[in-house]
């Protein structure tokens, strides 16, 4: 099967800190890959490198065999990679539905769907998909006023609105109650069935063991383990990081 | 932009179900019209101000006040166009006079040096002015908004310097005299009044289109715009050019009306005036800055004896506003008008 994403020997230093150290991995189409690791392991930096916010010092990123290293973030997004942020960043003063219209205005939407319909209806459809009621008051409130759990869903809706092929989720579950997490998991599986590829960043292996096909463990910027959730959970090295490290 | 109309229709249908549940409070563009009183309530604030503007020369016949209102209109157009940048896009310009000056100078050079007739010198001068200003600002749009503000502060000063340095083309300190002015004060009044109304309609349309939505998103959260597959720089450049068109046009009209351009077109006091008016009227509302412009221009006329202290007055007003009433006059009026309505409806 062809690889949708290839990360090759990527390294990023911030001054003296090596945030990501010679990391390589590949992602298959329709795969759910989890990247886990303690705080400061370099997970967010790795996502920032993939989506173009951060330029790596060494290494290359290939999306469908196309070298995207160093492309500006909006171009990478237009190619079909969208993401959510660890701290939800809504467009505070815009109403929630209008938050979702922004990606719908992107040239990618016109190019991929040739669609000139009603952005507003489309935005509401997407928000409904991530768990908003169609007639919810929240849809018309400034997004900055929504409770935290809803903001995560707005993030996800914004990322989905771009009709991505690959979606990067930075700690989507953090700060959510376990019922909330359980309500999102079926949605993520549905997205995968629809043909999307997911890279999820989370803190611990057990957060993602239910849903991930494969887990990559980062520690101090280095990839220390990779495999299916059960194997990784039993790995000596991983246990040492989580038990010994903190 | 076309589909926005469609969208609005849909907002209405979606919200119609909720009329009985007090949808009035949720949306400012939704009304339940049940009586002539209701209709008057909705229509009057939209129709009365333009009517007053158009009837003003018949109410007050003193040409002096027609000239004051021309100046107020000049500031209203400039401030509304500033609002598209400062209010909606988060590009706070301290040098909007750059566009006014460029518009004025290009128009003057075309009309006086090259004999281009007024009906061509105004549109070409306006386009050239907007393009020139955009070219100067464009390189600093990639970086944070602060750099734009700094460049906007410095650029008009540099222009004044260049005008003095290249006096053979620009007329130096004396400026350029003798632009064609075939119109009467009353005709100028109506041109400006029409331009104010047109500017308001166009800029509001733009500000509340999908394009304007993206501008607001850039203002509030640029990274999220980038990950949405949108190139913020392209949007900022476009906003800059559109905004510049209106400011440049105003400079161009002023040049013909006064038959003169000079370095004063670029002065900081004009830019500070524009900002003060915008903040006074209410930023990110389009109409607010126009209201601020009329109030402050008329106030300035009454306080003419202050002379050079006008800048100080603007500065003090700005400081007071930013500290105590940053929402501005328009939002305040709007809120008051809405509470007024609620009492009427409850009867
Ligand atoms: N922009 C930055 N400037 C300096 N250091 C950074 C920057 N971004 C991340 N770092 C550092 O890189 C390391 C990895 O951070 P991060 O990728 O956020 O980790 P994680 O997401 O796994 O918690 C941390 O030590 C962090 O302090
Ligand atoms: Mg992180």
């Amino acid at each position: 099967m062809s690889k949708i994403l290839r990360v090759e020997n990527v390294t990023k230093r911030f001054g003296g800190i090596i945030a990501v150290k010679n990391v390589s991995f590949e992602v298959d189409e329709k795969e759910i890959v989890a990247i886990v690791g303690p705080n400061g392991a370099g997970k967010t930096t790795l996502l920032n490198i993939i989506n173009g916010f951060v330029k790596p010092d060494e290494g290359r990123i290939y999306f469908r065999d196309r070298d995207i290293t160093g492309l500006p973030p909006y171009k990478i997004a237009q190619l079909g990679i969208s993401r959510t942020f660890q701290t939800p960043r809504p467009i505070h003063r815009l109403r929630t539905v209008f938050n979702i219209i922004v990606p719908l205005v992107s040239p990618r939407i016109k190019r991929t769907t040739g669609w000139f319909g009603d952005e507003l209806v489309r935005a509401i459809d997407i928000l409904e998909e991530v768990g908003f009621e169609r007639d919810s008051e929240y849809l018309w409130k400034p997004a900055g006023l929504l409770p935290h759990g809803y903001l995560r869903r707005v993030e996800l809706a914004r990322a989905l609105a771009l009709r991505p092929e690959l979606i990067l989720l930075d700690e989507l579950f953090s700060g959510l109650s376990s019922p909330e997490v359980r309500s999102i998991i079926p949605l993520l599986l549905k997205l995968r069935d629809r043909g999307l590829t997911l890279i999820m960043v989370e803190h611990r292996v057990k957060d993602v063991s239910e849903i991930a096909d494969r887990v990559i463990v980062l520690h101090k910027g280095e990839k220390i383990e990779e495999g299916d959730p059960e194997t990784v959970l039993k790995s000596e090295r991983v246990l040492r990081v989580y038990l010994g490290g903190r | 932009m076309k589909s926005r109309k469609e969208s609005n229709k849909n907002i209405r249908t979606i919200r119609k179900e909720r009329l009985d549940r007090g949808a009035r409070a949720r949306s400012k563009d939704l009304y339940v019209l049940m009586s002539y009183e209701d209709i008057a309530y909705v229509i009057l604030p939209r129709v009365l101000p333009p009517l007053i503007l158009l009837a003003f020369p018949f109410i007050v016949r003193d040409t002096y006040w027609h000239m004051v209102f021309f100046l107020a209109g000049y500031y209203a157009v400039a401030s509304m166009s500033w609002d598209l940048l400062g209010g909606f896009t988060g590009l706070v310009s301290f040098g909007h006079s750059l566009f006014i000056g460029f518009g004025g100078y290009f128009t003057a050079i075309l009309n006086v040096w090259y004999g281009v007739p007024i009906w061509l010198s105004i549109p070409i001068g306006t386009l050239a002015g907007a393009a020139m200003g955009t070219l100067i600002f464009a390189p600093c749009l990639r970086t944070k908004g602060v750099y734009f503000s700094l460049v906007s502060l410095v650029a008009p000063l540099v222009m004044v310097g260049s005008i003095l340095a290249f006096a053979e083309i620009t007329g130096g300190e004396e400026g350029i005299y003798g632009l064609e002015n075939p119109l009467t004060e009353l005709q100028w009044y109506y041109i400006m009044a029409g331009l104010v109304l047109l500017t308001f309609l166009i800029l509001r349309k733009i500000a509340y289109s999908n394009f304007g939505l993206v501008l607001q998103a850039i203002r509030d959260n640029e990274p999220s715009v980038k990950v949405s597959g949108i190139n913020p720089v392209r949007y900022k450049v476009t906003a800059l050019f559109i905004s510049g068109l209106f400011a440049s046009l105003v400079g161009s009209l002023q040049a013909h009306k006064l038959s003169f351009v000079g370095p004063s077109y670029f002065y900081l006091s004009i830019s500070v005036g524009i900002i003060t008016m915008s903040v006074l009227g209410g930023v990110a509302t389009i109409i607010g800055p126009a209201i601020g412009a009329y109030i402050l221009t008329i106030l300035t006329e009454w306080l003419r004896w202050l002379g050079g202290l006008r800048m100080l007055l603007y500065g003090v007003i700005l400081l007071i506003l930013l500290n105590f009433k940053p929402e501005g006059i328009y939002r305040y009026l709007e809120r008051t008008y809405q509470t007024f309505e609620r009492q009427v409806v409850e009867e």
Side-chain angles (χ1 to χ4, degrees), chain A residues 38-45 86 170-171 201 203:
Chain A
N39 260 329
K43 308 180 295 289
T44 299
T45 306
Q86 184 171 347
D170 198 350
E171 301 200 18
V201 159
H203 257 258

Side-chain angles (χ1 to χ4, degrees), chain B residues 55-77:
Chain B
F56 182 76
F58 299 97
I59 303 166
V60 179
R61 290 177 176 275
D62 188 351
T63 306
Y64 168 75
W65 279 104
H66 300 169
M67 288 161 71
V68 172
F69 265 58
F70 179 91
L71 187 65
Y74 158 104
Y75 273 117
V77 172

Side-chain angles (χ1 to χ4, degrees), chain A residues 45-64:
Chain A
T45 306
L46 194 53
L47 293 195
N48 284 344
I49 290 170
I50 297 172
N51 100 299
F53 275 147
V54 167
K55 311 256 174 288
D57 297 321
E58 286 151 39
R60 314 234 49 103
I61 315 285
Y62 298 90
F63 177 60
R64 295 195 190 290

